[in-house]
Amino acid sequence: MYQPMGPMIREAYENGYAVLAVNALNLETARSIIRAAEAARSPVIIDFYEGLLVDHLPARVLVDGVRALAREASVPVAISIDHGKHEHLVRQTIHAGFTSAMMDASELPFEENVEVVRRIVEFAQAYGTSIEGEVGGMGAVAGDAFTREEMMTDPQQAAEFVRATGVDALAVSYGSSHGLLPEGFVPVLEFDRLERINEACGTPLVLHGGSGTSPEDLQRSVANGVAKINMGADFMHANARGFVDAHHEDPDRELFELLAFADAAAQRTVRAYMEPCGSVGRAR
C-alpha cells in the first residue's frame, strides 16, 4: 500500500508509537525494508539520501520500481527524500512521485528556513505529498562532529516554525548524531528538551540518527512525541556484514546467494528497530 507519510505518522503520534524510516540504497535494499515491515505487520517509510539521488540513481529512475514494490506490499509504505538540501531536487522528487519529502533548510537563518519550507509545503499540496522540516542541527560521527548543545532545537522556535510552515512532521535535535556510533559510545539525549518541544508544537516529531540509540531511549522518545525514527547506518552496516561474512565463509558463493545473506541480515536489523518503535502489528 503506497501512502503519504503525513497520515501515517499522525496516526502513530496520536496512538503512542513511531514509524521507522530506513535509508535504502537501491531496489534490493528497499525490498528488504518492505519484507521486514510485512513480517512485522508494521507501516514503514523508505528514505533515500539526496546525495544518492544525485550521484547514483535519479528520482525519476528509482521511483517506478520502488513504487511498484510499495503498491504490492500488504502494509503501508511511504517513500521520501532524506535531508533534501536543494529546493529544486526536492521538487523533482515530489514531481517524480515520492509521497513524502524532507526539505532541510536548517543550515539557513531561521527566517529563510521558514520561507523555503513554506514554499515546498505549498508546492507539495497539489501532489498530496507530506513534508518534513527541521529546526536545529544534527551532528555526525564522521569527523567526530557530534551534535553539540548549541545545535539543539529551541522549543519555542520549533513551535513558531510549525505554525508558519504547516509541515506534517518536524525533525528535532536533542542529542543524537548521524552515522555508525563507535563501540561503547552512548548518546546522551535531552528528554526534558524533547518534552518541551512536544508540548510547544503538538505535531509529529522526528528523531534522526537513530542508529545505535538504545531501545529504552527510543521508547522514551516515542513517549515524548517522536512519531518517526530514522535509521540508516545500522541498516547499511547489516547489509554489508551479511554479504562479507557469507563470502568469507564460502568465497565460491554466487552473487545472488550473497545478496540473500545481506537481505536476511538487513531484515533482522529493521525488525530490531521496529520493536521499540512500537509499530509491530500496527499495519491496517
Side-chain angles (χ1 to χ4, degrees):
M1 295 179 279
Y2 192 44
Q3 297 186 3
M5 175 190 73
M8 188 187 298
I9 62 171
R10 171 56 67 175
E11 180 175 338
Y13 182 74
E14 293 174 352
N15 290 279
Y17 66 96
V19 179
L20 188 65
V22 188
N23 284 100
L25 181 66
N26 52 21
L27 192 62
E28 287 77 14
T29 48
R31 184 181 61 181
S32 296
I33 296 165
I34 291 174
R35 284 176 170 174
E38 288 183 315
R41 302 304 306 155
S42 171
V44 73
I45 299 164
I46 300 175
D47 272 346
F48 291 99
Y49 292 121
E50 182 188 78
L52 172 78
L53 300 175
V54 172
D55 300 327
H56 184 55
L57 281 173
R60 68 181 185 280
V61 176
L62 185 65
V63 70
D64 285 345
V66 180
R67 182 167 51 193
L69 292 175
R71 284 174 172 164
E72 293 172 3
S74 61
V75 297
V77 180
I79 302 175
S80 182
I81 180 174
D82 186 28
H83 288 286
K85 302 283 189 180
H86 298 86
E87 191 173 348
H88 72 283
L89 290 174
V90 173
R91 288 174 182 266
Q92 285 177 15
T93 66
I94 294 170
H95 183 70
F98 281 37
T99 56
S100 314
M102 181 187 186
M103 181 67 245
D104 181 5
S106 60
E107 295 177 359
L108 298 175
F110 179 75
E111 292 76 13
E112 292 181 42
N113 185 6
V114 168
E115 183 57 34
V116 169
V117 174
R118 183 163 49 203
R119 284 200 302 265
I120 288 295
V121 169
E122 292 172 354
F123 175 78
Q125 287 174 351
Y127 295 84
T129 305
S130 306
I131 301 298
E132 173 185 343
E134 179 171 333
V135 173
M138 286 293 301
V141 175
D144 289 332
F146 293 96
T147 299
R148 303 183 305 277
E149 180 78 21
E150 62 268 23
M151 299 168 65
M152 295 185 190
T153 305
D154 175 80
Q156 294 310 312
Q157 199 172 60
E160 181 182 347
F161 182 88
V162 169
R163 288 193 299 269
T165 61
V167 290
D168 298 281
L170 181 67
V172 294
S173 176
Y174 58 103
S176 61
S177 297
H178 287 122
L180 195 66
L181 296 178
E183 187 174 353
F185 180 87
V186 179
V188 178
L189 305 186
E190 293 193 5
F191 288 107
D192 57 337
R193 180 185 298 271
L194 178 61
E195 183 177 1
R196 286 184 285 119
I197 294 169
N198 186 35
E199 289 176 352
C201 293
T203 201
L205 304 178
V206 183
L207 166 64
H208 282 257
S211 290
T213 304
S214 72
E216 295 76 17
D217 280 352
L218 292 177
Q219 290 171 333
R220 193 172 174 186
S221 295
V222 173
N224 285 284
V226 169
K228 174 175 177 272
I229 293 174
N230 281 38
M231 186 269 293
D234 276 358
F235 176 73
M236 296 299 181
H237 183 68
N239 272 281
R241 291 310 315 171
F243 189 103
V244 170
D245 289 349
H247 183 265
H248 179 74
E249 182 181 274
D250 183 357
D252 293 326
R253 281 191 167 116
E254 297 284 351
L255 176 59
F256 73 88
E257 294 179 283
L258 297 173
L259 290 173
F261 280 95
D263 172 57
Q267 288 193 53
R268 288 193 296 270
T269 299
V270 171
R271 176 61 182 251
Y273 275 89
M274 284 179 169
E275 294 284 354
C277 284
S279 65
V280 174
R282 297 280 189 168
R284 296 184 178 182

